[in-house]
Amino acid sequence: RLINGAPMRVTDSIRDLSDPATVDRLRELGVRYLIVHEELAKMGDITPGLKLVKSFEDARIYEVPREESGGLR
């Protein structure tokens, strides 16, 4: 599911990648991978709930882990 260009209310709810609640919101939206362009995002702390998959010169790709049955461990 591509959410680039989604309504502002959606993108505002996932803007803070340091907030663990962002991972939950991404899951609710059905997002599996997140591409973060360094020029467009402040690359500060990233919540440990996102798994770095690949790093490029100008972008990073994170995996949004699926919630395990019975909640996260």
Side-chain angles (χ1 to χ4, degrees):
R1 176 171 293 179
L2 179 66
I3 61 169
N4 185 27
M8 191 63 84
R9 62 185 157 69
V10 172
T11 55
D12 282 348
S13 70
I14 59 172
R15 191 169 305 275
D16 184 0
L17 298 180
S18 66
D19 182 358
T22 298
V23 176
D24 293 333
R25 181 67 176 133
L26 290 168
R27 275 193 206 107
E28 289 171 5
L29 293 168
V31 174
R32 291 290 316 276
Y33 295 94
L34 181 67
I35 300 171
V36 179
H37 297 274
E38 292 189 22
E39 72 217 26
L40 300 176
K42 181 181 175 186
M43 295 304 294
D45 293 333
I46 301 289
T47 182
L50 295 173
K51 177 184 173 189
L52 180 63
V53 174
K54 182 82 174 172
S55 188
F56 297 95
E57 185 176 318
D58 60 349
R60 295 180 189 173
I61 299 175
Y62 293 91
E63 181 179 7
V64 179
R66 293 184 180 184
E67 186 173 10
E68 299 175 21
S69 59
L72 291 176
R73 297 175 201 235

